[in-house]
Amino acid sequence: MSSLDDILKSRRDTRHFTTDEVPDEVMQKALQAGHWAPSVGLTDATRYYIIKSTEVKTAIKNLFLDYNKKAEELTDNPEQKELYRSLKLEAIEEAPIGLIIAYDRSVLNQFTIGTVGSNEAVKFSSVCAAQNIWLSLTEQGYGMGWVSILNYYQFKKILDLPENIEPLGYFCVGKPATNYNNQPMLQQLNWKQKSEAPTCSEIQNVNESSILETNTAISSKNNVLPDFSKLLQEKIDSKTKPLGALGTLETLAFQIATVFETLNPKITNPNIVVFAADHGIANHGVSDYPQDVTRQMVNNFLDGGAAINVFCNQNNIELSIVDSGVNYDFPTNAKLINAKIAKGTQSFLHIPAMSESEVQLCFDKGKTIVENIAKTGSNCIGFGEMGIGNTSTASVLMSLLTGFPIENCVGKGTGVSDEKLLQKQNLLKKAIDNYSDQAELMSQLAYFGGFEILQMAGGMLSAYNNKMLILVDGFICTTAFLIASKINPNIKENAVFCHCSAEQAHQKLLDYLDAKPILNLDLRLGEGTGCAIAFPILKSAEAFLNEMASFESAGVSRK
Protein backbone atom coordinates (compact mmCIF):
# COMPACT_ATOMS: atom_id res chain seq x y z
CA MET A 1 0.00 0.00 0.00
CA SER A 2 1.31 3.45 -0.90
CA SER A 3 1.76 6.06 1.81
CA LEU A 4 -0.94 8.70 2.05
CA ASP A 5 1.49 11.44 0.96
CA ASP A 6 2.39 9.48 -2.18
CA ILE A 7 -1.28 9.00 -3.05
CA LEU A 8 -2.08 12.68 -2.53
CA LYS A 9 0.90 13.85 -4.62
CA SER A 10 0.00 11.45 -7.42
CA ARG A 11 -3.49 12.85 -7.81
CA ARG A 12 -4.27 13.37 -11.48
CA ASP A 13 -7.34 14.49 -13.40
CA THR A 14 -7.85 11.16 -15.17
CA ARG A 15 -9.27 11.80 -18.63
CA HIS A 16 -8.47 8.56 -20.46
CA PHE A 17 -9.18 5.04 -19.29
CA THR A 18 -8.40 1.50 -20.40
CA THR A 19 -11.24 -0.90 -21.23
CA ASP A 20 -10.53 -2.94 -18.08
CA GLU A 21 -13.66 -3.51 -16.02
CA VAL A 22 -13.86 -2.23 -12.48
CA PRO A 23 -14.58 -5.14 -10.11
CA ASP A 24 -17.62 -4.75 -7.88
CA GLU A 25 -15.51 -5.11 -4.76
CA VAL A 26 -13.36 -2.13 -5.84
CA MET A 27 -16.45 0.10 -6.13
CA GLN A 28 -17.93 -1.21 -2.90
CA LYS A 29 -14.72 -0.39 -1.05
CA ALA A 30 -14.57 3.08 -2.62
CA LEU A 31 -18.22 3.88 -1.83
CA GLN A 32 -17.71 2.68 1.75
CA ALA A 33 -14.77 5.10 1.99
CA GLY A 34 -17.11 7.86 0.78
CA HIS A 35 -19.65 6.85 3.39
CA TRP A 36 -17.01 7.17 6.10
CA ALA A 37 -16.37 10.80 5.13
CA PRO A 38 -17.35 13.56 7.58
CA SER A 39 -21.05 14.44 7.40
CA VAL A 40 -22.19 17.78 8.82
CA GLY A 41 -24.54 17.25 11.73
CA LEU A 42 -24.67 13.54 10.77
CA THR A 43 -27.08 14.44 7.97
CA ASP A 44 -25.87 11.44 5.96
CA ALA A 45 -27.08 13.35 2.90
CA THR A 46 -24.68 12.02 0.23
CA ARG A 47 -26.26 9.84 -2.47
CA TYR A 48 -24.61 7.76 -5.21
CA TYR A 49 -25.82 6.64 -8.64
CA ILE A 50 -23.91 4.11 -10.79
CA ILE A 51 -24.09 4.34 -14.59
CA LYS A 52 -22.98 1.54 -16.93
CA SER A 53 -25.50 2.09 -19.76
CA THR A 54 -23.95 3.19 -23.05
CA GLU A 55 -27.11 5.10 -23.93
CA VAL A 56 -26.97 7.14 -20.71
CA LYS A 57 -23.23 7.81 -21.11
CA THR A 58 -23.78 9.07 -24.66
CA ALA A 59 -26.54 11.42 -23.52
CA ILE A 60 -24.24 12.87 -20.84
CA LYS A 61 -21.38 13.16 -23.37
CA ASN A 62 -23.64 15.16 -25.72
CA LEU A 63 -24.72 17.37 -22.84
CA PHE A 64 -21.05 18.02 -22.03
CA LEU A 65 -20.17 18.86 -25.63
CA ASP A 66 -23.06 21.32 -25.87
CA TYR A 67 -22.03 23.17 -22.73
CA ASN A 68 -18.35 22.86 -23.55
CA LYS A 69 -18.85 25.37 -26.39
CA LYS A 70 -20.05 27.96 -23.88
CA ALA A 71 -17.09 27.26 -21.62
CA GLU A 72 -14.71 27.68 -24.56
CA GLU A 73 -16.05 31.20 -25.19
CA LEU A 74 -14.93 32.32 -21.73
CA THR A 75 -11.26 32.47 -22.77
CA ASP A 76 -9.88 35.01 -25.24
CA ASN A 77 -6.54 33.22 -25.53
CA PRO A 78 -6.38 31.63 -29.06
CA GLU A 79 -4.00 28.87 -27.90
CA GLN A 80 -6.25 28.01 -25.00
CA LYS A 81 -9.27 27.99 -27.31
CA GLU A 82 -7.53 25.47 -29.58
CA LEU A 83 -6.52 23.29 -26.65
CA TYR A 84 -10.06 23.49 -25.32
CA ARG A 85 -11.52 22.31 -28.63
CA SER A 86 -9.23 19.28 -28.45
CA LEU A 87 -10.60 18.23 -25.05
CA LYS A 88 -13.55 16.12 -26.16
CA LEU A 89 -13.51 14.13 -22.91
CA GLU A 90 -13.76 10.65 -24.34
CA ALA A 91 -13.62 9.46 -20.74
CA ILE A 92 -17.40 9.81 -20.35
CA GLU A 93 -17.98 6.98 -22.82
CA GLU A 94 -14.57 5.36 -22.35
CA ALA A 95 -14.68 4.78 -18.58
CA PRO A 96 -16.36 1.49 -17.60
CA ILE A 97 -18.32 3.15 -14.82
CA GLY A 98 -20.01 6.50 -14.45
CA LEU A 99 -20.65 7.68 -10.92
CA ILE A 100 -22.87 10.53 -9.75
CA ILE A 101 -22.09 11.88 -6.31
CA ALA A 102 -24.93 14.04 -5.04
CA TYR A 103 -26.49 15.37 -1.88
CA ASP A 104 -30.09 15.26 -0.75
CA ARG A 105 -31.25 18.81 -0.08
CA SER A 106 -34.43 17.59 1.64
CA VAL A 107 -32.42 16.84 4.80
CA LEU A 108 -32.56 20.61 5.39
CA ASN A 109 -36.29 20.31 6.11
CA GLN A 110 -35.32 18.80 9.45
CA PHE A 111 -33.34 20.68 12.05
CA THR A 112 -29.61 19.95 11.72
CA ILE A 113 -27.31 21.84 14.00
CA GLY A 114 -24.39 21.86 11.55
CA THR A 115 -26.39 23.64 8.85
CA VAL A 116 -27.68 26.61 10.85
CA GLY A 117 -24.71 28.71 9.69
CA SER A 118 -24.99 27.71 6.03
CA ASN A 119 -27.05 25.29 3.95
CA GLU A 120 -23.95 24.79 1.79
CA ALA A 121 -22.38 22.69 4.57
CA VAL A 122 -24.39 19.72 3.29
CA LYS A 123 -22.74 20.07 -0.13
CA PHE A 124 -19.30 20.36 1.50
CA SER A 125 -19.89 17.01 3.22
CA SER A 126 -20.49 15.38 -0.15
CA VAL A 127 -17.25 16.88 -1.47
CA CYS A 128 -15.49 15.15 1.43
CA ALA A 129 -17.10 11.91 0.26
CA ALA A 130 -15.83 12.50 -3.30
CA GLN A 131 -12.30 12.98 -1.97
CA ASN A 132 -12.48 9.76 0.06
CA ILE A 133 -13.71 7.82 -2.98
CA TRP A 134 -10.86 9.18 -5.06
CA LEU A 135 -8.32 8.22 -2.37
CA SER A 136 -9.70 4.68 -2.14
CA LEU A 137 -9.73 4.18 -5.93
CA THR A 138 -6.18 5.53 -6.26
CA GLU A 139 -4.93 3.20 -3.50
CA GLN A 140 -6.54 0.28 -5.37
CA GLY A 141 -4.87 1.23 -8.67
CA TYR A 142 -7.87 2.93 -10.30
CA GLY A 143 -8.67 6.54 -11.17
CA MET A 144 -11.55 9.00 -11.17
CA GLY A 145 -12.22 12.06 -13.35
CA TRP A 146 -14.64 14.83 -12.38
CA VAL A 147 -16.84 16.28 -15.14
CA SER A 148 -18.36 19.59 -14.00
CA ILE A 149 -18.89 21.40 -17.32
CA LEU A 150 -22.56 20.54 -17.54
CA ASN A 151 -25.92 22.24 -17.60
CA TYR A 152 -26.98 20.81 -14.24
CA TYR A 153 -30.67 21.45 -14.82
CA GLN A 154 -30.62 19.41 -18.05
CA PHE A 155 -28.31 16.89 -16.38
CA LYS A 156 -30.93 16.21 -13.70
CA LYS A 157 -33.68 16.08 -16.32
CA ILE A 158 -32.11 13.45 -18.57
CA LEU A 159 -31.27 11.28 -15.57
CA ASP A 160 -34.70 11.85 -13.99
CA LEU A 161 -33.11 12.77 -10.66
CA PRO A 162 -35.56 13.93 -7.96
CA GLU A 163 -35.89 17.69 -7.45
CA ASN A 164 -34.25 17.47 -4.02
CA ILE A 165 -31.12 15.67 -5.32
CA GLU A 166 -28.24 18.01 -6.21
CA PRO A 167 -25.34 16.38 -8.09
CA LEU A 168 -21.76 17.58 -7.63
CA GLY A 169 -21.05 16.42 -11.16
CA TYR A 170 -20.42 13.30 -13.22
CA PHE A 171 -17.45 11.13 -12.24
CA CYS A 172 -15.66 8.71 -14.58
CA VAL A 173 -14.17 5.62 -12.91
CA GLY A 174 -11.72 3.10 -14.37
CA LYS A 175 -8.08 2.13 -14.92
CA PRO A 176 -6.06 5.23 -15.97
CA ALA A 177 -4.65 4.95 -19.51
CA THR A 178 -1.94 7.55 -18.89
CA ASN A 179 -0.37 9.41 -16.00
CA TYR A 180 0.38 12.57 -18.06
CA ASN A 181 4.08 12.32 -17.13
CA ASN A 182 3.02 12.52 -13.51
CA GLN A 183 1.59 16.04 -13.95
CA PRO A 184 -1.91 17.46 -13.97
CA MET A 185 -3.01 17.56 -17.61
CA LEU A 186 -3.62 21.33 -17.68
CA GLN A 187 -0.15 21.83 -16.27
CA GLN A 188 1.36 19.50 -18.89
CA LEU A 189 -0.38 21.56 -21.61
CA ASN A 190 1.03 24.77 -20.05
CA TRP A 191 -2.52 26.01 -19.48
CA LYS A 192 -1.99 26.72 -15.82
CA GLN A 193 0.65 25.83 -13.23
CA LYS A 194 -0.21 24.59 -9.78
CA SER A 195 1.53 26.48 -6.99
CA GLU A 196 4.14 24.57 -5.00
CA ALA A 197 2.69 25.30 -1.57
CA PRO A 198 -0.72 26.10 -0.09
CA THR A 199 -1.84 29.71 0.33
CA CYS A 200 -2.36 30.38 4.01
CA SER A 201 -2.71 33.61 5.98
CA GLU A 202 -3.14 34.17 9.68
CA ILE A 203 -6.02 36.39 10.81
CA GLN A 204 -5.11 38.22 13.99
CA ASN A 205 -7.74 40.94 14.39
CA VAL A 206 -11.53 41.04 14.66
CA ASN A 207 -13.42 43.33 12.30
CA GLU A 208 -15.73 45.15 14.66
CA SER A 209 -17.86 46.86 12.02
CA SER A 210 -21.44 45.70 11.54
CA ILE A 211 -23.58 46.38 8.50
CA LEU A 212 -26.62 47.17 10.60
CA GLU A 213 -24.59 49.37 12.95
CA THR A 214 -23.26 51.24 9.93
CA ASN A 215 -26.74 51.75 8.58
CA THR A 216 -28.07 53.02 11.89
CA ALA A 217 -25.61 55.91 11.69
CA ILE A 218 -28.56 57.89 10.41
CA SER A 219 -28.05 60.97 8.30
CA SER A 220 -31.18 62.95 7.60
CA LYS A 221 -31.88 65.39 4.85
CA ASN A 222 -33.97 67.37 7.30
CA ASN A 223 -31.00 69.72 7.48
CA VAL A 224 -31.71 70.92 3.93
CA LEU A 225 -31.70 74.69 4.20
CA PRO A 226 -35.19 76.11 4.74
CA ASP A 227 -34.41 78.61 1.96
CA PHE A 228 -34.02 75.72 -0.50
CA SER A 229 -37.43 74.24 0.36
CA LYS A 230 -38.99 77.69 0.14
CA LEU A 231 -37.40 78.40 -3.26
CA LEU A 232 -38.46 74.97 -4.53
CA GLN A 233 -42.07 75.43 -3.45
CA GLU A 234 -42.11 78.89 -5.01
CA LYS A 235 -40.82 77.44 -8.27
CA ILE A 236 -43.61 74.84 -8.28
CA ASP A 237 -46.29 77.36 -7.34
CA SER A 238 -45.12 79.85 -9.98
CA LYS A 239 -45.85 77.50 -12.88
CA THR A 240 -48.74 78.48 -15.15
CA LYS A 241 -51.41 76.54 -13.29
CA PRO A 242 -53.64 76.98 -10.24
CA LEU A 243 -51.94 76.12 -6.95
CA GLY A 244 -51.86 72.35 -6.48
CA ALA A 245 -53.52 71.69 -9.85
CA LEU A 246 -50.98 69.01 -10.79
CA GLY A 247 -51.69 67.13 -7.56
CA THR A 248 -49.36 64.20 -6.95
CA LEU A 249 -47.02 65.40 -9.68
CA GLU A 250 -46.25 68.47 -7.58
CA THR A 251 -45.52 66.31 -4.54
CA LEU A 252 -43.24 64.10 -6.62
CA ALA A 253 -41.44 67.07 -8.15
CA PHE A 254 -40.78 68.50 -4.68
CA GLN A 255 -39.50 65.11 -3.48
CA ILE A 256 -37.24 64.49 -6.50
CA ALA A 257 -35.67 67.96 -6.25
CA THR A 258 -35.17 67.53 -2.49
CA VAL A 259 -33.52 64.12 -2.86
CA PHE A 260 -31.20 65.41 -5.59
CA GLU A 261 -30.69 68.72 -3.73
CA THR A 262 -31.24 70.89 -6.81
CA LEU A 263 -33.98 73.12 -8.19
CA ASN A 264 -33.42 71.54 -11.61
CA PRO A 265 -33.47 67.77 -10.92
CA LYS A 266 -32.71 65.26 -13.64
CA ILE A 267 -33.20 61.50 -13.35
CA THR A 268 -30.14 59.82 -14.83
CA ASN A 269 -29.43 56.18 -15.73
CA PRO A 270 -32.51 54.72 -13.99
CA ASN A 271 -32.07 51.08 -13.02
CA ILE A 272 -34.52 48.45 -11.77
CA VAL A 273 -32.92 45.59 -9.87
CA VAL A 274 -34.77 42.28 -9.55
CA PHE A 275 -33.56 40.17 -6.63
CA ALA A 276 -34.39 36.45 -6.89
CA ALA A 277 -34.22 33.69 -4.29
CA ASP A 278 -35.93 30.52 -3.13
CA HIS A 279 -37.65 29.89 0.18
CA GLY A 280 -37.76 26.72 2.27
CA ILE A 281 -41.36 27.43 3.25
CA ALA A 282 -42.32 26.80 -0.41
CA ASN A 283 -41.84 23.08 0.24
CA HIS A 284 -45.03 23.16 2.34
CA GLY A 285 -47.38 24.01 -0.53
CA VAL A 286 -47.93 27.73 0.11
CA SER A 287 -47.86 28.46 -3.63
CA ASP A 288 -49.65 27.02 -6.65
CA TYR A 289 -46.33 27.04 -8.50
CA PRO A 290 -43.39 24.66 -7.96
CA GLN A 291 -40.16 26.12 -6.61
CA ASP A 292 -38.39 25.57 -9.93
CA VAL A 293 -40.42 28.47 -11.39
CA THR A 294 -37.98 30.84 -9.65
CA ARG A 295 -35.12 29.50 -11.78
CA GLN A 296 -37.29 29.43 -14.89
CA MET A 297 -38.32 33.05 -14.45
CA VAL A 298 -34.74 34.19 -13.86
CA ASN A 299 -33.85 32.59 -17.19
CA ASN A 300 -36.87 34.36 -18.69
CA PHE A 301 -35.52 37.69 -17.36
CA LEU A 302 -32.12 36.92 -18.85
CA ASP A 303 -33.72 36.03 -22.19
CA GLY A 304 -35.72 39.28 -22.23
CA GLY A 305 -39.15 37.66 -22.23
CA ALA A 306 -40.72 38.80 -18.94
CA ALA A 307 -43.06 41.72 -18.26
CA ILE A 308 -40.30 43.66 -16.51
CA ASN A 309 -38.11 43.35 -19.62
CA VAL A 310 -40.89 44.76 -21.79
CA PHE A 311 -41.62 47.72 -19.50
CA CYS A 312 -37.94 48.54 -18.93
CA ASN A 313 -37.35 48.51 -22.69
CA GLN A 314 -40.40 50.73 -23.18
CA ASN A 315 -39.10 53.35 -20.73
CA ASN A 316 -35.33 53.09 -21.35
CA ILE A 317 -34.64 51.71 -17.88
CA GLU A 318 -31.59 49.55 -17.23
CA LEU A 319 -32.53 46.13 -15.82
CA SER A 320 -30.28 44.20 -13.44
CA ILE A 321 -30.99 40.64 -12.29
CA VAL A 322 -29.56 39.36 -9.01
CA ASP A 323 -29.23 35.74 -7.89
CA SER A 324 -29.69 36.26 -4.16
CA GLY A 325 -30.24 32.59 -3.42
CA VAL A 326 -31.94 30.65 -6.21
CA ASN A 327 -31.87 26.88 -5.87
CA TYR A 328 -29.85 26.48 -9.07
CA ASP A 329 -26.31 26.99 -10.35
CA PHE A 330 -26.55 29.47 -13.23
CA PRO A 331 -23.81 29.51 -15.90
CA THR A 332 -20.85 31.67 -14.95
CA ASN A 333 -21.22 33.68 -18.16
CA ALA A 334 -24.89 34.58 -17.56
CA LYS A 335 -25.62 38.31 -17.41
CA LEU A 336 -26.46 37.95 -13.77
CA ILE A 337 -25.24 39.60 -10.57
CA ASN A 338 -24.13 36.71 -8.39
CA ALA A 339 -25.00 37.49 -4.77
CA LYS A 340 -26.07 33.96 -3.84
CA ILE A 341 -26.09 33.33 -0.10
CA ALA A 342 -27.24 29.70 -0.43
CA LYS A 343 -29.63 27.66 -2.55
CA GLY A 344 -32.70 28.95 -0.80
CA THR A 345 -33.48 29.46 2.85
CA GLN A 346 -34.46 26.66 5.19
CA SER A 347 -38.12 26.22 6.11
CA PHE A 348 -39.00 28.49 9.03
CA LEU A 349 -41.87 26.21 10.03
CA HIS A 350 -39.61 24.53 12.59
CA ILE A 351 -36.12 26.05 12.30
CA PRO A 352 -34.51 29.42 11.40
CA ALA A 353 -34.56 30.30 7.71
CA MET A 354 -30.97 31.52 7.96
CA SER A 355 -28.25 32.47 10.42
CA GLU A 356 -27.62 35.98 11.73
CA SER A 357 -24.31 35.98 9.84
CA GLU A 358 -26.27 35.35 6.63
CA VAL A 359 -28.53 38.29 7.51
CA GLN A 360 -25.46 40.51 7.76
CA LEU A 361 -24.19 39.09 4.47
CA CYS A 362 -27.50 39.91 2.78
CA PHE A 363 -27.30 43.55 3.90
CA ASP A 364 -23.67 43.68 2.80
CA LYS A 365 -24.36 42.28 -0.67
CA GLY A 366 -27.41 44.48 -1.19
CA LYS A 367 -25.36 47.51 -0.21
CA THR A 368 -22.54 46.61 -2.61
CA ILE A 369 -24.91 46.01 -5.54
CA VAL A 370 -26.52 49.44 -5.16
CA GLU A 371 -23.19 51.20 -4.60
CA ASN A 372 -21.92 49.72 -7.88
CA ILE A 373 -25.06 50.94 -9.68
CA ALA A 374 -24.66 54.41 -8.15
CA LYS A 375 -21.11 54.52 -9.53
CA THR A 376 -22.56 54.26 -13.06
CA GLY A 377 -24.21 57.66 -12.54
CA SER A 378 -27.62 56.26 -11.65
CA ASN A 379 -29.63 58.36 -9.22
CA CYS A 380 -32.92 56.45 -9.47
CA ILE A 381 -33.25 52.78 -8.54
CA GLY A 382 -36.29 50.52 -8.50
CA PHE A 383 -36.54 47.31 -6.52
CA GLY A 384 -38.23 44.14 -7.75
CA GLU A 385 -38.22 40.51 -6.67
CA MET A 386 -38.84 36.94 -7.76
CA GLY A 387 -39.15 33.94 -5.48
CA ILE A 388 -41.78 31.24 -5.12
CA GLY A 389 -43.00 31.36 -1.51
CA ASN A 390 -41.82 34.90 -0.79
CA THR A 391 -45.31 36.29 -0.07
CA SER A 392 -45.42 33.88 2.88
CA THR A 393 -42.07 35.16 4.11
CA ALA A 394 -43.17 38.78 3.66
CA SER A 395 -46.49 38.12 5.44
CA VAL A 396 -44.80 36.76 8.55
CA LEU A 397 -42.27 39.60 8.62
CA MET A 398 -45.07 42.15 8.23
CA SER A 399 -46.99 40.58 11.11
CA LEU A 400 -43.98 40.57 13.42
CA LEU A 401 -42.79 44.09 12.58
CA THR A 402 -46.20 45.80 12.61
CA GLY A 403 -48.07 43.81 15.24
CA PHE A 404 -50.91 43.00 12.84
CA PRO A 405 -52.38 39.49 13.21
CA ILE A 406 -51.10 37.10 10.57
CA GLU A 407 -54.61 36.78 9.08
CA ASN A 408 -54.41 40.45 8.04
CA CYS A 409 -51.02 39.93 6.42
CA VAL A 410 -51.65 36.85 4.27
CA GLY A 411 -52.85 37.03 0.69
CA LYS A 412 -53.25 34.72 -2.26
CA GLY A 413 -49.75 35.38 -3.60
CA THR A 414 -49.56 33.72 -7.00
CA GLY A 415 -53.33 33.12 -6.90
CA VAL A 416 -54.05 30.22 -4.56
CA SER A 417 -57.64 29.09 -3.93
CA ASP A 418 -59.64 30.16 -0.86
CA GLU A 419 -59.12 26.72 0.68
CA LYS A 420 -55.37 26.89 0.12
CA LEU A 421 -55.31 30.46 1.46
CA LEU A 422 -56.76 29.19 4.74
CA GLN A 423 -54.14 26.42 4.85
CA LYS A 424 -51.46 29.03 4.19
CA GLN A 425 -52.75 31.20 7.05
CA ASN A 426 -52.79 28.27 9.48
CA LEU A 427 -49.30 27.17 8.44
CA LEU A 428 -47.82 30.63 8.94
CA LYS A 429 -49.64 31.05 12.25
CA LYS A 430 -48.11 27.76 13.39
CA ALA A 431 -44.66 28.97 12.30
CA ILE A 432 -45.05 32.16 14.36
CA ASP A 433 -46.33 30.16 17.34
CA ASN A 434 -43.25 27.93 17.08
CA TYR A 435 -40.97 30.98 17.25
CA SER A 436 -39.74 31.43 20.78
CA ASP A 437 -36.81 33.76 20.18
CA GLN A 438 -36.43 37.42 21.12
CA ALA A 439 -38.55 40.18 19.67
CA GLU A 440 -35.35 41.70 18.33
CA LEU A 441 -35.00 42.67 14.68
CA MET A 442 -31.92 40.61 13.82
CA SER A 443 -33.38 37.47 15.42
CA GLN A 444 -36.68 37.91 13.60
CA LEU A 445 -34.98 38.49 10.25
CA ALA A 446 -32.76 35.43 10.70
CA TYR A 447 -35.66 33.19 11.62
CA PHE A 448 -38.16 34.26 8.98
CA GLY A 449 -36.25 36.28 6.38
CA GLY A 450 -35.67 35.67 2.71
CA PHE A 451 -32.35 36.32 0.98
CA GLU A 452 -33.84 38.60 -1.69
CA ILE A 453 -35.97 40.55 0.81
CA LEU A 454 -33.02 41.34 3.06
CA GLN A 455 -30.74 42.18 0.14
CA MET A 456 -33.40 44.64 -1.05
CA ALA A 457 -33.54 46.18 2.44
CA GLY A 458 -29.76 46.57 2.44
CA GLY A 459 -29.88 48.00 -1.06
CA MET A 460 -32.53 50.55 -0.10
CA LEU A 461 -30.43 51.74 2.84
CA SER A 462 -27.48 52.10 0.49
CA ALA A 463 -29.61 53.99 -2.06
CA TYR A 464 -30.59 56.48 0.64
CA ASN A 465 -26.96 57.01 1.61
CA ASN A 466 -26.13 57.58 -2.08
CA LYS A 467 -28.92 60.18 -2.45
CA MET A 468 -30.85 58.06 -4.92
CA LEU A 469 -34.58 58.04 -5.57
CA ILE A 470 -35.92 54.70 -4.28
CA LEU A 471 -38.80 53.16 -6.27
CA VAL A 472 -40.73 50.60 -4.21
CA ASP A 473 -42.79 47.97 -6.06
CA GLY A 474 -45.48 45.77 -4.48
CA PHE A 475 -46.11 43.90 -1.24
CA ILE A 476 -42.80 42.04 -0.92
CA CYS A 477 -40.70 45.09 -1.82
CA THR A 478 -42.72 47.20 0.61
CA THR A 479 -41.95 44.63 3.31
CA ALA A 480 -38.26 45.03 2.47
CA PHE A 481 -38.76 48.79 2.81
CA LEU A 482 -40.47 48.22 6.18
CA ILE A 483 -37.33 46.42 7.38
CA ALA A 484 -35.07 49.20 6.08
CA SER A 485 -37.25 51.86 7.74
CA LYS A 486 -36.93 50.09 11.10
CA ILE A 487 -33.17 50.60 10.76
CA ASN A 488 -33.28 54.13 9.32
CA PRO A 489 -36.68 55.88 9.45
CA ASN A 490 -35.38 58.77 7.31
CA ILE A 491 -35.25 56.47 4.28
CA LYS A 492 -38.87 57.42 3.57
CA GLU A 493 -37.65 60.83 2.33
CA ASN A 494 -36.28 59.09 -0.79
CA ALA A 495 -39.02 56.49 -1.29
CA VAL A 496 -41.62 56.55 -4.03
CA PHE A 497 -44.32 53.90 -3.55
CA CYS A 498 -45.19 53.07 -7.12
CA HIS A 499 -48.50 51.23 -6.73
CA CYS A 500 -50.89 49.45 -4.42
CA SER A 501 -51.04 45.80 -5.41
CA ALA A 502 -53.98 43.40 -5.39
CA GLU A 503 -52.30 41.52 -2.54
CA GLN A 504 -54.74 42.29 0.29
CA ALA A 505 -52.09 43.05 2.92
CA HIS A 506 -50.33 45.66 0.78
CA GLN A 507 -52.84 48.46 1.44
CA LYS A 508 -52.63 47.77 5.19
CA LEU A 509 -48.85 47.96 5.03
CA LEU A 510 -48.93 51.20 3.03
CA ASP A 511 -51.33 52.69 5.57
CA TYR A 512 -48.99 51.61 8.39
CA LEU A 513 -46.12 53.40 6.63
CA ASP A 514 -48.34 56.43 5.91
CA ALA A 515 -47.38 55.99 2.26
CA LYS A 516 -49.43 57.15 -0.71
CA PRO A 517 -48.92 54.99 -3.82
CA ILE A 518 -48.92 56.52 -7.30
CA LEU A 519 -51.00 53.84 -9.04
CA ASN A 520 -53.67 51.28 -8.26
CA LEU A 521 -53.94 48.92 -11.22
CA ASP A 522 -54.66 45.62 -9.40
CA LEU A 523 -51.13 44.45 -10.21
CA ARG A 524 -49.78 41.41 -8.37
CA LEU A 525 -46.91 40.28 -10.54
CA GLY A 526 -43.84 41.53 -8.73
CA GLU A 527 -40.58 41.74 -10.74
CA GLY A 528 -40.50 45.51 -10.20
CA THR A 529 -43.19 45.96 -12.85
CA GLY A 530 -45.01 48.61 -10.79
CA CYS A 531 -41.79 50.67 -10.69
CA ALA A 532 -41.37 50.52 -14.45
CA ILE A 533 -45.02 51.41 -15.14
CA ALA A 534 -44.95 54.35 -12.72
CA PHE A 535 -41.64 55.68 -14.04
CA PRO A 536 -43.17 57.88 -16.82
CA ILE A 537 -45.14 59.72 -14.11
CA LEU A 538 -41.87 60.57 -12.37
CA LYS A 539 -40.53 61.84 -15.66
CA SER A 540 -43.65 63.98 -16.03
CA ALA A 541 -43.01 65.49 -12.59
CA GLU A 542 -39.42 66.20 -13.58
CA ALA A 543 -40.49 67.69 -16.93
CA PHE A 544 -43.06 70.12 -15.59
CA LEU A 545 -40.65 71.38 -12.92
CA ASN A 546 -37.84 71.96 -15.41
CA GLU A 547 -39.68 72.93 -18.60
CA MET A 548 -43.08 74.40 -17.81
CA ALA A 549 -43.34 78.20 -18.07
CA SER A 550 -43.83 80.37 -15.04
CA PHE A 551 -46.50 83.08 -14.80
CA GLU A 552 -43.75 85.66 -15.14
CA SER A 553 -41.95 84.11 -18.16
CA ALA A 554 -45.24 83.46 -19.99
CA GLY A 555 -46.74 86.83 -19.19
CA VAL A 556 -49.77 85.20 -17.59
CA SER A 557 -51.56 86.90 -14.71
CA ARG A 558 -51.71 85.11 -11.39
CA LYS A 559 -54.97 84.60 -9.53
Side-chain angles (χ1 to χ4, degrees), residues 218-231:
I218 298 171
S219 62
S220 171
K221 293 194 191 69
N222 288 331
N223 60 0
V224 173
L225 292 175
D227 285 349
F228 174 81
S229 296
K230 185 178 179 182
L231 288 170

Side-chain angles (χ1 to χ4, degrees), residues 533-545:
I533 294 169
F535 183 73
I537 296 175
L538 297 177
K539 292 295 289 181
S540 294
E542 172 199 284
F544 103 74
L545 183 61

